[in-house]
């Protein structure tokens, strides 16, 4: 009975059977990828593709950070990987072989954001800095040149996220101002107050009106949480009991209004990261938050966020000595039920002494089953020792199963490659960034925004991956930025779909 009550129907989103755009207009279905010999869910851990931090005593807030996308337009996913103050490289992917070249920006680069700010079709990079203003790097076919980006003086930027506040077609930027150093100056609220950079032309911004979150932001996501077509912002705040808890800003006529308290989103924890997707199949966006000592699964029911972590056994972080960083809501085994992934890491502000230190933190995978979640990471091949940070997923080996890249504070990133295709079907939707993708299969909805954001310290491909289990697709709805809708009904999965 608990499961049924938690998974009540939500009225947001298109109604099944409602009027819709012409079937298939603007949608291209790829070829079906057969799976003659499906394998049980398992991933092989490969740490040989990339390099780690050269110092085994790296401080815990200095990496690794990562952005993954096809940066040179050759069809392969490239990896921008770095450890602030030491080294940043672009690892160019040529058919699965990654070769590094030095990043053109500063070694003090911190958190990368992917966004096509100049509208030329290439993903540009907005990079925050440890002690300096953020930088903009414009991408032209894999060649990066500096752009112009002016941020508020004296407010160090931890992360920037791209959104369209006023629906004018130009990307604005929400600037998360905290650098993690606010503890040294509790009284200076202004230096850790988020703000917006508003654009009225490609790759050009003015500081917009309105100061927003006054907490210690660690991660932000742009979402349309209420399905009204506007870009809203969710912020995960560290040390919520000291500086204020997590925030939800609703876009109301181009202005971001704090609705955290009235929606139940406000929680005072030491949050590190968050991810947003529909885990329960009711067409409403839910939230998974990592923190020190706990993780929190917030289910959206009738416009309210309800913490269902305990009833659904959704917390892999079981004590104050444990800490979650990057988190994802992804259907890793393609069974039609999204799973929860958490990168756990060390809880020390400096590395433990000694070159032989072994961090005992795992990458947790909670598999969704009837009634809640079950720990499946070790059975699925995910590592159990390390100090992990960012998580990014894409299908690197083209078998229809998501692969996972996890960065480590010291060691080389872990590329977890699936061992083969799955018995469950899947759908991979390539839609314009900012699109709302809704899939009905087997009587269950799945909803996610096409976004490059990938929880704490990471960015990745905007492709939306949907596990279908044994079902075919009954309905695919894609709401493009600006409100135009695309629709396709009654087709088989195991394929990619391009939406324009």
């Amino acid at each position: 009975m608990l499961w049924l009550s938690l998974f009540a129907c939500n009225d947001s989103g298109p109604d099944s059977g409602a009027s819709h755009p012409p079937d298939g207009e603007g949608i291209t279905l790829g070829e079906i990828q057969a799976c003659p010999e499906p394998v049980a869910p398992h991933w092989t851990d490969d740490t040989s593709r990339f390099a780690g931090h050269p110092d085994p005593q790296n401080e815990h807030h200095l990496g690794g950070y990562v952005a993954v996308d096809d940066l040179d337009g050759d069809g392969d996913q490239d990896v921008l990987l770095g450890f602030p103050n030491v080294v940043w490289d672009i690892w160019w992917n040529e058919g699965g072989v990654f070769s590094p070249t030095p990043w053109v920006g500063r070694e003090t680069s911190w958190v990368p954001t992917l966004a096509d700010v100049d509208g030329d079709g290439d993903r540009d990079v907005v990079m925050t800095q440890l002690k300096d203003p953020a930088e903009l790097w414009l991408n032209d076919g894999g060649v990066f040149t500096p752009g112009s980006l002016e941020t508020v003086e004296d407010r160090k930027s931890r992360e920037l996220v791209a959104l369209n506040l006023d629906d004018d077609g130009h990307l604005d930027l929400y600037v998360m101002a905290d650098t993690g150093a606010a503890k040294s100056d509790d009284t200076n609220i202004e230096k850790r107050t988020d703000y917006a950079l508003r654009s009225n032309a490609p790759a050009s911004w003015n500081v917009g009106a309105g100061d927003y979150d006054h907490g210690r932001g660690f991660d932000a996501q742009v979402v349309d949480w209420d399905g009204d077509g506007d870009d809203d912002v969710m912020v995960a705040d560290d040390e919520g009991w000291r500086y204020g808890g997590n925030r939800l800003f609703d876009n109301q006529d181009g202005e971001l209004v704090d609705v955290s308290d009235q929606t139940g989103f406000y929680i005072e924890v030491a949050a590190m990261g968050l991810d947003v997707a529909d885990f329960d199949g009711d067409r409403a966006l839910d939230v998974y938050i990592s923190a020190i000592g706990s993780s929190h699964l917030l289910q959206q029911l009738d416009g309210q966020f309800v913490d269902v972590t305990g009833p659904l056994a959704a917390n892999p972080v079981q004590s104050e000595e444990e800490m979650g960083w990057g988190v994802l809501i992804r259907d890793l085994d393609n069974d039609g039920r999204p799973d929860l992934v958490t990168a756990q890491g060390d809880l020390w502000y400096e590395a433990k002494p000694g070159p032989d230190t072994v961090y005992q933190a795992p990458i947790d995978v909670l598999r969704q089953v009837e009634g809640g979640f079950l720990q499946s990471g070790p059975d699925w091949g995910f590592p159990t020792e390390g100090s992990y940070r960012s998580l990014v997923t894409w299908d690197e080996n083209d078998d229809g199963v998501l692969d996972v890249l996890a960065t480590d504070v010291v060691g080389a990133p872990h590329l977890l490659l699936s061992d083969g295709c799955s018995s469950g079907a899947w759908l991979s939707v390539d839609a314009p960034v900012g699109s709302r993708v809704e899939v009905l299969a087997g009587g269950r909805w799945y909803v996610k925004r096409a976004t490059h954001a990938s929880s704490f310290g990471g960015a990745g491909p905007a492709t939306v991956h949907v596990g279908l289990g044994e079902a075919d697709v009954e309905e695919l709805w894609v709401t493009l930025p600006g409100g135009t809708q695309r629709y396709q009904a009654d087709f088989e999965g195991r394929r990619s779909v391009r939406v324009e």
Side-chain angles (χ1 to χ4, degrees), residues 22 58 66 118 158 169-170 207 217 266 304 328 392 402 420 440 477:
N58 182 38
V66 67
D118 57 4
R158 181 178 186 88
H170 301 302
V207 176
Y266 185 91
Q304 293 290 308
L328 297 174
V392 179
L402 286 175
L440 176 63
W477 291 80

Side-chain angles (χ1 to χ4, degrees), residues 224-236:
D224 179 12
W225 78 276
D226 52 1
D228 66 355
D230 296 325
D231 285 355
D232 313 306
V233 178
M234 291 179 175
V235 181

Side-chain angles (χ1 to χ4, degrees), residues 57-68:
Q57 295 179 275
N58 182 38
E59 294 186 16
H60 95 155
H61 66 287
L62 296 180
Y65 299 99
V66 67
V68 179

Side-chain angles (χ1 to χ4, degrees), residues 128-469:
T128 59
Q129 306 291 315
L130 279 173
K131 297 180 180 180
D132 298 302
E135 295 181 335
L136 169 64
W137 293 93
L138 299 174
N139 181 10
D140 184 7
V143 178
F144 289 88
T145 56
S148 177
L149 178 65
E150 184 175 351
T151 55
V152 174
E153 188 176 359
D154 293 332
R155 293 197 207 177
K156 302 301 188 295
S157 307
R158 181 178 186 88
E159 182 181 47
L160 292 84
V161 291
L163 72 165
N164 195 344
L165 281 172
D166 46 13
D167 202 28
D168 64 354
H170 301 302
L171 286 180
D172 309 301
L173 296 171
Y174 181 93
V175 184
M176 199 167 61
D178 174 55
T179 66
K183 185 183 295 185
S184 63
D185 190 359
D186 288 356
T187 62
N188 197 332
I189 294 177
E190 182 178 350
K191 285 190 175 182
R192 50 183 168 80
T193 297
D194 300 355
Y195 60 95
L197 297 175
R198 294 180 180 266
S199 175
N200 55 17
S204 177
W205 297 273
N206 296 309
V207 176
D211 285 341
Y212 303 115
D213 184 29
H214 301 296
R216 295 190 63 213
F218 256 64
D219 191 29
Q221 293 269 356
V222 176
V223 298
D224 179 12
W225 78 276
D226 52 1
D228 66 355
D230 296 325
D231 285 355
D232 313 306
V233 178
M234 291 179 175
V235 181
D237 278 317
D238 188 17
E239 291 191 283
W241 57 87
R242 183 194 301 263
Y243 302 106
N246 302 327
R247 306 284 183 171
L248 169 57
F249 295 100
D250 185 53
N251 187 342
Q252 299 180 10
D253 298 322
E255 294 296 331
L256 295 175
V257 178
D258 188 349
V259 296
S260 310
D261 286 329
Q262 55 264 50
T263 59
F265 189 81
Y266 185 91
I267 300 177
E268 293 183 352
V269 294
M272 299 290 108
L274 76 161
D275 196 25
V276 185
D278 177 16
F279 85 89
D280 56 358
D282 69 349
R283 296 180 297 177
L285 289 171
D286 311 300
V287 185
Y288 195 42
I289 298 170
S290 63
I292 295 176
S294 63
S295 293
H296 295 269
L297 182 61
L298 304 184
Q299 183 183 38
Q300 186 184 166
L301 295 170
D302 297 324
Q304 293 290 308
F305 289 94
V306 180
D307 193 332
V308 295
T309 311
L312 301 186
N315 181 21
V317 184
Q318 297 296 327
S319 78
E320 293 300 322
E321 298 303 316
E322 299 177 2
M323 183 174 187
W325 293 81
V327 287
L328 297 174
I329 305 174
R330 299 286 192 276
D331 190 351
L332 293 183
D333 58 354
N334 287 335
D335 68 348
R337 296 171 173 169
D339 312 301
L340 307 176
V341 188
T342 301
Q344 287 202 44
D346 64 275
L347 191 55
W348 305 280
Y349 285 89
E350 293 183 358
K352 287 183 176 180
D356 298 325
T357 296
V358 176
Y359 293 110
Q360 301 291 336
I363 298 175
D364 281 299
V365 179
L366 298 181
R367 175 171 56 96
Q368 188 176 163
V369 297
E370 190 68 29
F373 294 87
L374 290 177
Q375 177 62 258
S376 298
D379 292 340
W380 285 3
F382 282 73
T384 58
E385 289 186 350
S387 185
Y388 304 104
R389 293 297 183 267
S390 305
L391 296 169
V392 179
T393 59
W394 76 99
D395 185 7
E396 171 63 23
N397 54 11
D398 199 29
D399 60 2
V401 179
L402 286 175
D403 305 304
V404 182
L405 181 69
T407 65
D408 189 289
V409 71
V410 173
H414 295 246
L415 181 58
L416 292 135
L417 295 169
S418 64
D419 289 353
C421 58
S422 62
S423 58
W426 50 273
L427 192 68
S428 180
V429 182
D430 185 5
V433 174
S435 298
R436 182 183 178 96
V437 176
E438 302 176 88
V439 176
L440 176 63
R444 181 186 178 101
W445 286 94
Y446 179 77
V447 182
K448 187 166 178 60
R449 179 186 178 94
T451 176
H452 289 297
S454 188
S455 190
F456 173 87
T463 302
V464 175
H465 181 94
V466 183
L468 302 174

